[in-house]
Structures are given as C-alpha cells and as structure tokens.
Amino acid sequence: MEFEKPIAELQSRIDELRDTFKSRTQANYDQMARMYLKRQVLDALAVGADFPAPDGLVDMEFDKIWAQFEANRKDGQVEPDEVGKDDDTLKADYRNLALRRVRLGLVVAELVRNQKLEATLDHIKAHVEELASSYE
C-alpha cells in the first residue's frame, strides 16, 4: 500500500518516456523519408540540369564545401569514402558537388519563380520548429 504511489508514479514516468521515444522515432523516420524523397527529386532534376553554371557561383560554393571539409578533417571527422584520397582528387569531387549544387539551385529558383511559389510565415515557423525539435 505504501508502495502503490511510487509504483504508479514510476509507471506514469515509463509511459511518458515510451510516448516520447515513439514520437521522436516517428519524427526521425519522417525526416529520413523526406530526405530520401528530396534526394530522389534532386537527382531527377540533376539529370536535366546539364548547362554551364556561372564560374563565380561554383567557386563560392566550392570554397564553402572545401572550408567545411578542412574543418572536419582538422577535427578528425573524415568520411570513410574520403580516406586515402589525395587533395587533388577530393577537390575534383567537391568541385563536381559544387557544380551540381549551383545548377540545382538555379533550376529550383527558376521553378519557384515560374510557379510563383511563396513561403508563408506560418510555413517558415513550422519548418524552423521541426528542425529545432530534432536537436532536443
């Protein structure tokens, strides 16, 4: 009888933790599904995005990518597929990535312009909250 209250509180806490785990797991699955779909869409767009991109934009994007890589390498955080590659090979890989990003950015910007798409303040807030919740 004197144990009933602590047991009930413990069960309540277990239920609360279970619900939190379920909701976070579902949020993670939802985020992975969105990332997968986004990758599929961007890959499909990239197939048709074979045009010369402005060198200045590609250079700026490459510089950002390379700076991030250098910071990660300094911290010992090198991706497994990067291990053993020399800098020239890595730079060529990252330049191709920069070119892809710039081309896709231009294609998406043109789609947004042509379709007159706009993000509402509520949509932006919801997206920021969704991103923030993944860091809790």
Side-chain angles (χ1 to χ4, degrees):
M1 299 204 195
E2 62 188 66
F3 297 111
E4 288 177 6
K5 185 175 180 182
I7 290 174
E9 289 173 0
L10 181 59
Q11 185 61 47
S12 174
R13 181 68 179 136
I14 289 170
D15 292 343
E16 183 181 311
L17 289 171
R18 182 182 302 118
D19 291 343
T20 300
F21 176 77
K22 282 181 181 179
S23 66
R24 286 189 181 173
T25 300
Q26 185 62 50
N28 286 338
Y29 282 134
D30 293 345
Q31 183 179 14
M32 288 189 313
R34 279 190 304 277
M35 288 172 48
Y36 177 78
L37 179 60
K38 179 181 175 182
R39 179 63 186 239
Q40 297 296 353
V41 169
L42 291 176
D43 285 349
L45 285 174
V47 169
D50 189 19
F51 56 86
D55 290 335
L57 291 177
V58 175
D59 290 343
M60 286 186 336
E61 186 64 24
F62 170 78
D63 290 343
K64 287 193 295 188
I65 293 169
W66 189 253
Q68 184 62 53
F69 168 75
E70 288 281 289
N72 290 346
R73 181 164 56 181
K74 182 180 174 189
D75 292 340
Q77 298 174 358
V78 178
E79 296 293 324
D81 63 331
E82 296 169 339
V83 174
K85 289 184 178 180
D86 61 34
D87 279 2
D88 290 338
T89 302
L90 290 167
K91 285 181 179 180
D93 291 347
Y94 285 134
R95 182 152 299 278
N96 287 333
L97 177 61
L99 179 60
R100 173 187 161 97
R101 285 184 181 178
V102 168
R103 284 178 175 165
L104 287 172
L106 292 171
V107 168
V108 169
E110 187 64 17
L111 286 170
V112 168
R113 189 182 69 77
N114 283 341
Q115 298 299 315
K116 297 180 174 106
L117 301 176
E118 295 181 16
T120 65
L121 185 57
D122 289 340
H123 183 250
I124 293 169
K125 284 181 182 178
H127 187 64
V128 168
E129 288 173 6
E130 180 182 324
L131 291 173
S133 71
S134 67
Y135 292 101
E136 291 179 354

